[in-house]
Amino acid sequence: MAETKTARVERTIREWVGGGKLSPGDKMPSERALSEELSIGRTALRQVLARLVSEGVLEVRGRSSYRVPEPAPGQKRSGATTSGELEPWQIYGDRPVYNNRWVRLELVDVEPPGVKRFEHHVVRLQHVTITAVLDDRDRVLMLWRYRFVPDQWGWELPGGIVEAGEDARASALREVEEETGWRAESLEHVVTYQPMVGMVDSPHEIFVGRGAAKVGDPTDAEEAGRVEWVPLADIPDLMARGQLMGSGTLVALLHVLATRK
């Protein structure tokens, strides 16, 4: 079965990092150079790079400059590279089982060290942003929504899919405005993480905003909910009662609570 273009490019970059072609601290070639050398479009390349950044294989410096991260003092490197006696899994390719705009299910041909080669199920979801917008009264902008999958009502932060070719920060600003009718005045990127790293690939980018202006009514009917400014003092109780939905909401709010002065 032929290897997909994105899988080939991802494997190649992992081999560069794990095989010694690139060392800790080395800067990656520019997106333009990578696109030409690896014969892949810029949009697809950015998706691969975002996945490698979320796993810690690469790190971002500046707007679109990538490099191999340095290990922290006293810490072994992890991810795609060798770590002492540990070795990464070998990835030989993948084949799609189901694919649409929202979800892709693949069987990935893998060989863990010391284990017989087999096909591993991998679910690839979209690259998303989640944003906690705070005001000067120590409140956070939230949505009270119904989610049919868990059959539950609860509080969520605004967020959504990063569209093809869209900057994550621009996506975060757009989603806040579309879902709440408020426009954030500033945004700070907090972390990019994977919520279910064992089998699901879905980079989540967390932003925190300060200040917002009301610009109209929500325009995203599918994601509509009751929009409210919720006091941060209420968040621990809402969490204890199970009324905060989604890992992105929890990660963002835990960060806000942990860094409050």
Side-chain angles (χ1 to χ4, degrees):
M1 169 102 110
E3 189 176 26
T4 65
K5 185 176 291 186
T6 54
R8 172 183 59 78
V9 169
E10 182 173 337
R11 175 178 54 78
T12 298
I13 295 175
R14 289 180 185 276
E15 289 174 352
W16 288 355
V17 175
K21 180 178 179 179
L22 293 171
S23 301
D26 284 354
K27 185 178 178 180
M28 291 285 291
S30 68
E31 287 185 356
R32 180 176 180 179
L34 285 171
S35 179
E36 292 175 355
E37 180 176 355
L38 299 174
S39 301
I40 187 172
R42 295 281 284 274
T43 298
L45 173 64
R46 285 170 182 158
Q47 292 174 349
V48 172
L49 293 172
R51 185 154 55 242
L52 294 174
V53 168
S54 71
E55 295 179 15
V57 178
L58 299 175
E59 65 181 9
V60 180
R61 289 297 179 93
R63 184 173 180 180
S64 59
S65 176
Y66 300 85
R67 76 171 195 171
V68 182
E70 298 273 7
Q75 187 179 49
K76 294 180 179 180
R77 298 196 67 217
S78 60
T81 60
T82 301
S83 180
E85 72 281 5
L86 302 178
E87 296 290 337
W89 291 19
Q90 294 297 314
I91 303 172
Y92 298 100
D94 58 72
R95 59 187 178 93
V97 176
Y98 176 80
N99 186 33
N100 68 14
R101 182 193 172 197
W102 307 104
V103 60
R104 177 182 174 91
L105 174 61
E106 298 175 352
L107 284 172
V108 183
D109 187 0
V110 298
E111 185 178 10
V115 177
K116 185 178 179 181
R117 184 171 169 178
F118 68 99
E119 285 191 314
H120 192 294
H121 283 84
V122 175
V123 179
R124 301 199 188 278
L125 305 179
Q126 295 279 9
H127 177 195
V128 302
T129 62
I130 302 94
T131 304
V133 179
L134 309 174
D135 69 3
D136 57 5
R137 296 171 58 186
D138 224 18
R139 301 180 303 176
V140 60
L141 184 61
M142 301 196 74
L143 294 156
W144 176 258
R145 286 174 170 163
Y146 172 74
R147 292 296 188 182
F148 83 92
V149 175
D151 188 22
Q152 179 182 347
W153 288 90
W155 292 102
E156 291 183 25
L157 295 174
I161 293 172
V162 179
E163 301 294 346
E166 186 179 31
D167 174 75
R169 185 180 302 273
S171 172
L173 288 167
R174 174 180 55 75
E175 290 289 347
V176 169
E177 187 170 332
E178 288 179 354
E179 294 186 0
T180 71
W182 289 79
R183 180 175 298 160
E185 295 174 0
S186 66
L187 285 187
E188 172 194 0
H189 182 263
V190 173
V191 67
T192 302
Y193 77 99
Q194 292 274 7
M196 296 178 64
V197 72
M199 190 176 288
V200 178
D201 172 33
S202 178
H204 281 45
E205 298 206 42
I206 304 297
F207 290 86
V208 173
R210 303 283 174 177
K214 180 71 172 176
V215 294
D217 293 324
T219 58
D220 189 341
E222 184 179 343
E223 298 291 345
R226 190 173 84 235
V227 180
E228 286 194 18
W229 288 95
V230 178
L232 287 175
D234 293 350
I235 296 302
D237 182 58
L238 294 174
M239 188 180 302
R241 288 191 278 141
Q243 291 189 344
L244 299 181
M245 296 197 297
S247 64
T249 292
L250 289 167
V251 169
L253 291 176
L254 286 171
H255 168 81
V256 169
L257 294 177
T259 55
R260 287 175 74 195
K261 296 182 180 179

